[in-house]
Amino acid sequence: MNTYDIIIIGSGIVGSLTARALSRYDLKVLVIEKEIDVGMCPSSANSAVIHAGYDPKPGTVKAEMNALGNKLWHEIAPELGIEHRETGSMVVAIGENELPVLNELYERGIKNKIPELRILSKEEVKLREPLINPDISGALWAPTAMVIDPFGAVLAAAENAVTNGVKYSFETEFQDFIFEGGRITGIKTNKGDFFCRCVINSAGLYADEVAHKAGVRKDYKITPRKGSYMIFDPARFVINNVLFPVPSDKGKGILVSTTTHGNVLIGPNNEPCENKEDSASTASGLNEVARGAKKLIPSIDEKNCIAIYAGIRATGTGDRDFIIETPKEVSGLINLCGIESPGFASAPAIALRVIELLKETGIKFNENPKFNPVRRPKLHFHKLSYREKEELIKSNPAYGRIVCRCEEVTEGEIIDAINSPVPARTYDGIKRRTWLGTGRCQGSFDIPRVIQILSRELKIKPEEVTKKGKGSELL
Amino acid sequence: MKNCDVAVIGAGPAGLAAAIEARKNGAQKVIIIERNNEAGGILPQCIHNGFGSVLFKKDLPGPRYAHEFIKQARELGVEMIFDTMAIDITPNRKIYATNSRDGLLEIDSKSIVLAMGCRERTRAQIRIPGDRPAGVYTAGMVQRLVNMEGMLPGRKFVILGSGDIGMIMARRLVLEGAKVIKVLEALPYLTGLRRNYVQCLQDFDIPLSLGTTVKRIIGKKRLNAIETVKLDEKMTPAAGTEEIIECDTLMLSVGLIPENELSKKAGVLLDPLTGGPVVDCDMQTSVPGIFACGNVVTIYDLVDYVSKAGFIAGKSAAMFTAKNTESGGTIDIIPGDNVRSVIPQKLKTSGLLESVSLQFRVSREFNKSIAIYIKENGRIVKKSVRKYARPAEMLEITIEEKELKGINGQMQVQVAPND
């Protein structure tokens, strides 16, 4: 009954892409998630960039996973119908002092086998990015970097996994392992016990605590680090590329980019958190972000900001390299720990590495004959031509009723989100799937209407409709 | 494909007045496109009184005020298309709209009146950091939930912003059984009307803290508390004045922004001072045949003035339909000392026969007598005295026909203390 071949803890990008990779095979797979939806933690609040891979130290797991992951994303994003833009990225040197850093990064990139890297002259950069700081001295151009819709990517992987037979269990919190001899044979959760042959620990911020419960990596600790972001009104200005400053010991720095949805995004800074759930943006953090972004694009005006938020990095200890391992002390466990940036870019490569490790444990990998790698992209009414809109409304009148005026999201799309393979059950679930409420008015117009729709479709009382799960009731 | 003489976007007070006046001035086929399923715009949810003092010399509740116009529009045969969202307007006056009954509507109109109103400023625009829980709502949304849907979105409120909707909702929430702990205002003065302060806050013992804002939002799932901080004269937070207030809802009444996404699609020139279209004395925008009125042009203080602007726009649209009147006058009207913005921004040389009313707001509070000067290239055309002036209240000055004679240069509106 509650017996699986493999149980994955965490439905972030690593957990969900691993689930999807496993769904190619004839295996019984369960993903447990403590939140009410996929990718609620660092996987949806990040820079939305698939890094090219010149940044990690050569020879590290990070460097290897990033380079391969980037390559795989270029195949997976179209296959899974994930919104993405193949923009390329630039590390921008301001003033002559920063110029030598570009060469260092270029050399590192060559060692990491990153293709097509090139140093651009200041004239070339100005031509590509007219709003750039006039004091620019040059840039490292990495054409393989791309911008992605991060939540859309997690959802696409999860939906494809579910369509191919993987089971997801939400609001299911890992409590402990079940051992038999020296072997892990299952897990205890708030929803009961689940048994399996192998557990994959992709618990993100909590991967250290899960590992400790298995009695391994006792000295390993994940320290949450916060990064604030600001999102701008797309009508105001557009940036063509992903722009990074030259990196510092604090990381890749505060970037300026345009999301797949067309909004300029700036951030993140790097500051301590009170705890692993502390994703509160801070005034000082936002000021730092604005200052940092203006170093690259001086004309950015905070007045045009339409959303602010913060994400949390799962920063590991020691050399902070990714941990992808089958621990020696106990069998039936694979640890994926410290998957901070470039974790998103690396995730498809990590999923493949997990399969190699699982094969070594003796689990049989027979092909799943029903596996379908393709997931059709989500329908977005506002992107259609007038003729397509007309046809769509004829097929289903719910597409004629616009519920979110800024982003032009229809009732039909909301109902689709509620009835999808990984269904939206909250306001934020609909928001992340449809972009509803992400525009200038930030939901002031649509919230009363969405409360009605969720209440009707889920057959619950309006008072039971939540923003992001129990305890976040809107009324 | 539909054709009409005048198409109005929005059945709020501005749109209704425009449609009525367009019909009265000879436009045969007048339609209004409305996203809600009833007419009146924001008025049906404004169940408090205070409407109609100028036009009807009465103190009416919002729905009653709207009813006067809805009834008249129906009698005049204005066609209202409800539950329908206009999604595009082209400069040659074609409108695309969508609903679940007719699908995609294409409407060719001889003239168009933009009356989309405004939207509310949100948390991000005033950059309140912190968590992102449920329970941080704009005042207009709370008003809709309470007055239209019969839902109370919280029990213990703090209100940020002393604008009119904020104060009116404070009273409304108390009447509905919620607790309103206090109203905060970042500025050192009240931003809404004085009478609302007296009737909505004082009479209900709701404290008002001027020069205080929200520093941080606290709560993982639903709002638990907010942290407030006092601001000095330079609007910088004063360290050590922080206070934590437990509450489950933070209601924001922090200003309105004219809603001009459609205007931009139509190629209409916007005024950065008002956030709305640049209009001439006929309420015609920079695009010939496209007119605008109400809160889409500038944020008004009284609905009566919104309706009056609608009358002008509707009449002008009907005239344009009859004989393509020229757009955009040649004389600029600009704000001078102590004036934030002026409507209209253009005067027509060809239309200098009737009187013109200018509406404007001062940029700071004057508690003593002031003088309003209308100047043409420095020459005083008109002077008018008022007892006081506040940024919250719109001022109006009418330039009579005889005073307009001979004017052909840039005009400026100035305000100075009347010593």
Side-chain angles (χ1 to χ4, degrees), chain A residues 343-376:
Chain A
F344 210 100
S346 306
I350 296 172
L352 293 188
R353 175 64 61 87
V354 168
I355 289 181
E356 286 168 23
L357 292 177
L358 282 170
K359 281 180 178 166
E360 288 167 15
T361 66
I363 292 177
K364 281 219 174 66
F365 280 73
N366 298 320
E367 299 257 314
N368 170 4
K370 290 186 199 140
F371 178 74
N372 176 5
V374 178
R375 169 188 169 271
R376 286 180 49 198

Side-chain angles (χ1 to χ4, degrees), chain B residues 176-188:
Chain B
E176 285 296 330
K179 172 141 184 71
V180 177
I181 298 163
K182 60 162 70 172
V183 175
L184 312 171
E185 171 56 59
L187 292 166

Side-chain angles (χ1 to χ4, degrees), chain A residues 277 279-281 287 302 306 308 386-387 397 400 405 440-441 444-445 449 452 468 471-474, chain B residues 35-36 88 98-100 104 106 119 124 127-132 137-138 141 149 220-222 259 261:
Chain A
E277 296 293 317
S279 61
S281 58
N287 286 335
E302 290 105 301
I306 59 168
I308 52 179
Y386 288 127
R387 291 296 145 261
R405 64 185 166 186
R440 286 168 287 268
C441 91
S444 299
F445 181 76
R449 289 156 177 86
Q452 284 178 353
K468 46 183 165 184
S472 66
E473 286 73 21
L474 285 163
Chain B
R35 68 180 185 212
N36 276 323
D88 198 4
T98 157
N99 68 34
S100 49
L104 186 77
E106 290 175 46
R119 66 165 174 269
R127 274 177 68 190
I128 308 176
D131 292 317
R132 301 215 295 171
Y137 302 130
T138 58
M141 193 194 98
E149 321 264 348
K220 287 312 295 176
K221 299 262 181 175
R222 175 83 196 200
E259 183 113 276
E261 275 56 57

Side-chain angles (χ1 to χ4, degrees), chain B residues 23 56 128 153 158-159 163 180 195 245 259 272 289 301 335 345-346 353 356 385 391 411:
Chain B
R23 277 293 292 129
F56 301 110
I128 308 176
V158 171
I159 297 175
V180 177
R195 69 162 199 228
I245 304 177
E259 183 113 276
D301 56 344
Q345 295 93 336
K346 299 265 183 189
L353 293 166
V356 173
V385 175
M411 292 173 71

